[in-house]
């Protein structure tokens, strides 16, 4: 990718590359095919050699300003034009625009008599003329091995081919040569002997009745390159190659939060929900409401005006929409508003890699902020556990690099938590919710645990997970004397507690009244005593007054008497 | 098979024994010179006054290479009498040339 930078600091000569424009191929070849050199693409019949080369030309002509010549030894130009029209390539128009030149080389052995020494100068002249007529920088020879079946003198052909490749190098055109895979060799005629710069092997494998197309760079002189087998997909948009693993773990981590769609669940996750760009696993046994959680998450995304893709591997979109409507979530409006996209396919439709590619492509087109994969468990029908895991790692990698939040659901077959999930992806994901059946008191209820949630505070409690007409909610479970209570047992316990409260209230009020009465009794007693005291006091006062009066009267009398006595004395 | 005869402007019906030959060569390369010498000799020996031979230098007319489906050179195209044949090589193998031209040496 960065080999394009011509202002390399060192003065060392470096290998220039021609971008192929094929999705993913430029990544694993780190920039494309070697510029000005021949590249061999080999593989068995029907593995996409011609398509690879035609894409190389078309992208070159349309995107990189490098016109190209296509020399077809097998197909007629009209056939070729029709064949690639399904990919949206209008070769006829491109020929008119002098972006591409098609040349069909036809060799009919029965018409030809060899009468001595010859050379392939005719081919050189044709090719040279074609290159000059449009100023081509790219050439495809598909499949040059046909020469061997058309002409007898192999020694001449080999010598001429060697000369041809040298000549193409001298003309500085980037060339693709295709070759049919032979027994024990890369190509039937050993073309790899002449093309030593870059060899790409295509393969089409069928395992368990499921086909996978694979690409491998056998050699690439003068350049580092990915060495793995990379799956690739051919569909209406052409070829896309998917690198198996990204080389680094270097994606950004957002601290933005994204709501789960269930307020109570957000509360369990530190109040705000998941991290944006994180991966979430919802696992649980059958019928625990995984899809409901997924649907609610998708709904929340769309309600917030963001986009979501829902990959359904078990149910059809209509089925999901209907089922979600029953719990008060309307997904159809979001579909109509083009915020929600459903992609439903049976896992057995194609290989795991193809699923990954399909997911990859859809995400590239729809550009969602969240993705739901429901469920990943079904993928196991297509591949082994380790394959599923590797695909999921890559999927998570890819999504995180795009900052897309992903929610997987997984069916755990065993109720035992220590069994973990079947795909053992629980270690890969950032948050893991477990929905569990709690069987108690003759009924089955759902309990939700947050098993892990990286980088945030989260509740360690079990919550009862309730699915109602109005959506999903989490209820605190009751801890009774017999353990955790859910469902009707919880409600019974709630009622019991309510009764208790009423009784207590009643008891309290009775006691209050009694005290009031006692108070009143005491108060009346107090007033009686007071009155008694007052009368006593009055009595006492009366005595005092009488005494005073008596005293007064006595004094008066005494004075009267003495006055009278004095008067008698004088009269004597 | 007959794709190449369509382009041939010469009327073929008047004389069945008349050979219409075109030799494509590349400049003055060794093979080309040999081919020219050899074919002329064969023509003079086996079909004197019954042939027309045109020698074309593909370097001078590059578009003709595509039109005539030329790959290997030198190439001799016999467009009449039918069937049309294509002979490649320096025409040094007289037997094969005659066989290709449909001339039996016995006569």
């Amino acid at each position: 990718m960065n080999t394009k930078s011509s202002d390399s600091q060192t003065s060392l000569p470096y290998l220039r590359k021609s971008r192929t424009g094929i999705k993913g191929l430029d990544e694993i070849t780190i920039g494309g095919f070697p510029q000005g050199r021949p590249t061999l693409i080999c593989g068995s019949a029907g593995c996409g050699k011609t398509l690879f080369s035609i894409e190389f030309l078309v992208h070159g002509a349309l995107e990189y300003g490098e016109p190209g010549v296509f020399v077809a030894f097998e197909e007629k130009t009209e056939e070729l034009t029709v064949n690639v029209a399904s990919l949206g390539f209008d070769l006829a128009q491109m020929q008119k625009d002098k972006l591409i030149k098609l040349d069909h080389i036809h060799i009919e052995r029965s018409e030809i008599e060899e009468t001595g020494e010859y050379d392939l100068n005719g081919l050189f002249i044709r090719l040279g003329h074609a290159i000059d007529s449009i100023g081509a920088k790219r050439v495809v020879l598909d499949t040059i091995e046909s020469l061997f079946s058309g002409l007898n003198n192999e020694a001449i052909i080999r010598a001429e081919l060697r000369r041809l490749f040298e000549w193409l190098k001298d003309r500085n055109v980037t060339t693709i040569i295709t070759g049919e895979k032979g027994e024990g060799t890369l190509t039937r005629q050993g073309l790899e002997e002449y093309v030593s710069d870059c060899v790409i092997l295509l393969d089409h494998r069928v395992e368990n009745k499921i086909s996978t197309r694979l690409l491998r760079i056998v050699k690439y002189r003068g350049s580092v390159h990915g060495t793995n087998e990379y799956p690739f997909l051919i569909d209406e948009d052409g070829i896309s190659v998917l690198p198996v693993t990204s080389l680094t773990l270097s994606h950004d981590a957002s601290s933005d939060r994204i709501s789960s769609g269930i307020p109570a669940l957000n509360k369990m996750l530190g109040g705000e929900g998941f991290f944006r760009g994180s991966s979430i696993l919802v696992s649980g046994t059958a019928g625990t409401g995984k899809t409901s959680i997924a649907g609610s998450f998708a709904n929340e995304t769309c309600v917030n005006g963001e986009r979501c893709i829902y990959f359904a591997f078990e149910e059809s979109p209509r089925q999901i929409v209907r089922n979600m409507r029953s719990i008060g979530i309307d997904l159809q409006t979001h579909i109509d508003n083009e915020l929600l996209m459903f992609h439903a396919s049976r896992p057995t439709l194609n290989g795991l890699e193809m699923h990954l590619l399909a997911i990859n492509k859809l995400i590239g087109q729809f550009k969602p902020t969240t993705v739901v994969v429901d469920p990943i468990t079904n993928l196991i029908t297509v591949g082994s556990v380790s394959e599923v895991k590797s695909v999921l790692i890559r999927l998570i990698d890819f999504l995180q690099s795009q900052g897309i939040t992903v929610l997987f659901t997984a069916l755990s077959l065993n109720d035992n938590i220590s069994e973990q999930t079947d795909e053992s992806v629980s270690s890969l994901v950032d948050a893991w919710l477990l929905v569990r059946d709690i069987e108690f008191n003759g009924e089955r209820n759902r309990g939700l645990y947050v098993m892990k949630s990286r980088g945030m505070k989260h509740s360690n409690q079990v919550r009862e997970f309730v699915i109602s007409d109005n959506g999903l909610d989490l209820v605190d479970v009751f801890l009774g004397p017999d353990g955790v209570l859910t469902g009707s047992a919880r409600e019974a316990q709630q009622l019991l507690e309510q009764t208790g409260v009423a009784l207590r209230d009643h008891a309290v009020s009775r006691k209050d009244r009694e005290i009031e009465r006692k108070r009143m009794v005491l108060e009346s007693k107090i007033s009686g005593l007071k009155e008694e005291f007052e009368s006593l006091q009055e009595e006492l006062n009366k005595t005092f007054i009488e005494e005073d009066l008596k005293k007064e009267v006595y004094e008066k009398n005494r004075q009267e008497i003495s006055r009278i006595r004095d008067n008698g004395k004088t009269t004597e | 098979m007959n794709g190449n005869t369509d382009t041939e402007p010469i009327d073929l019906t008047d004389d069945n024994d008349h050979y219409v030959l075109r030799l494509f060569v590349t400049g003055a390369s060794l093979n080309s010179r040999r081919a020219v010498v050899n074919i002329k000799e064969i023509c003079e020996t086996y079909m004197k006054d019954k042939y027309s031979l045109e020698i074309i230098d593909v370097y001078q007319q590059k578009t003709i290479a595509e039109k005539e489906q030329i790959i290997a050179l030198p190439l001799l195209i016999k467009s009449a009498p039918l069937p049309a044949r294509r002979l490649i090589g320096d025409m040094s193998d007289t037997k094969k040339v005659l066989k290709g031209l449909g001339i039996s040496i016995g006569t």
Side-chain angles (χ1 to χ4, degrees), chain A residues 101 103-107 110-123 125-126 129 147 151, chain B residues 1 26 31 58-59 62-63 65-66 69-73 85-93 96-97:
Chain A
K101 169 111 179 87
D103 189 0
H104 174 228
I105 289 186
H106 170 81
I107 311 169
S110 58
E111 287 178 7
I112 293 172
E113 193 77 50
E114 295 183 18
T115 65
E117 286 282 310
Y118 57 91
D119 52 45
L120 296 182
N121 263 331
L123 179 63
I125 293 168
R126 276 173 86 165
H129 178 65
L147 287 178
L151 301 169
Chain B
M1 283 292 276
T26 47
N31 281 341
V58 187
Y59 278 137
K62 287 183 178 175
T63 47
E66 190 181 341
Q69 282 293 348
I70 297 169
I71 299 148
L73 287 172
R85 294 289 291 177
R86 307 175 129 232
L87 287 75
I88 56 172
D90 60 9
M91 312 294 149
S92 57
D93 191 334
K96 277 194 171 173
V97 176

Side-chain angles (χ1 to χ4, degrees), chain A residues 341-524:
Chain A
M341 179 194 253
F342 269 101
H343 180 78
S345 58
R346 283 276 166 209
T348 45
L349 177 70
N350 40 29
L352 274 176
E353 305 294 348
M354 296 299 118
H355 280 296
L356 185 54
L357 267 176
I359 291 176
N360 210 318
K361 277 193 55 177
L362 274 179
I363 288 171
Q365 287 164 8
F366 196 67
K367 306 213 178 306
T369 53
T370 65
V371 165
V372 173
V373 183
D374 177 36
I376 51 174
T377 321
N378 268 17
L379 294 174
I380 206 98
T381 52
V382 202
S384 69
V385 175
S386 66
E387 282 170 334
V388 173
K389 187 172 180 181
S390 113
V391 161
L392 289 174
I393 290 176
R394 280 179 279 146
L395 180 60
I396 291 174
D397 256 1
F398 167 71
L399 292 171
Q400 293 198 332
S401 70
Q402 308 278 311
I404 296 170
T405 319
V406 60
L407 187 141
F408 300 107
T409 68
L411 179 72
S412 45
L413 300 170
N414 201 318
D415 219 358
N416 187 356
I417 302 176
S418 62
E419 290 283 319
Q420 314 287 4
T421 53
D422 310 308
E423 293 72 31
S424 56
V425 287
S426 43
S427 65
L428 300 171
V429 295
D430 296 316
W432 179 16
L433 308 178
L434 180 70
V435 198
R436 254 189 102 193
D437 279 337
I438 299 175
E439 210 176 301
F440 178 71
N441 211 9
E443 54 182 54
R444 230 172 48 113
N445 292 297
R446 307 177 177 92
L448 188 140
Y449 305 65
V450 179
M451 297 295 281
K452 76 171 191 185
S453 185
R454 285 180 184 151
M456 64 171 83
K457 257 197 254 178
H458 55 273
S459 166
N460 62 350
Q461 291 175 359
V462 189
R463 295 291 168 87
E464 189 181 345
F465 176 50
V466 185
I467 303 179
S468 70
D469 293 346
N470 305 319
L472 310 176
D473 201 6
L474 300 176
V475 185
D476 286 341
V477 280
F478 270 67
L479 274 174
D482 302 327
V484 170
L485 296 180
T486 55
S488 54
R490 166 177 52 81
E491 272 166 31
Q493 179 72 20
Q494 271 173 323
L495 279 178
L496 206 67
E497 297 208 351
Q498 272 171 21
T499 320
V501 167
L503 281 175
R504 202 169 57 238
D505 282 356
H506 182 66
V508 165
S509 60
R510 207 181 54 194
K511 209 155 210 167
D512 276 356
R513 278 200 302 279
E514 210 175 286
I515 289 169
E516 182 68 13
R517 267 200 303 279
K518 265 193 181 148
R519 192 176 59 85
M520 273 154 68
V521 168
L522 281 175
E523 272 176 2
S524 62

Side-chain angles (χ1 to χ4, degrees), chain A residues 69 80 102 104 108 161 164 196-197 205 306:
Chain A
V69 173
L80 193 70
L102 302 180
H104 174 228
E108 182 62 58
L161 280 186
L164 177 68
S196 47
D197 291 299
R205 244 177 259 162
E306 294 174 14

Side-chain angles (χ1 to χ4, degrees), chain A residues 3 6 8 11 44 65 106 139 141 190 217 250 256 281 296 317 420 424 465 490 514 527 552:
Chain A
T3 45
S6 49
S8 166
S11 57
S44 48
H106 170 81
V139 169
L141 303 173
I217 301 173
S250 58
D256 265 10
L281 174 70
S296 152
Q420 314 287 4
S424 56
F465 176 50
R490 166 177 52 81
E514 210 175 286
S527 65
E552 208 174 318

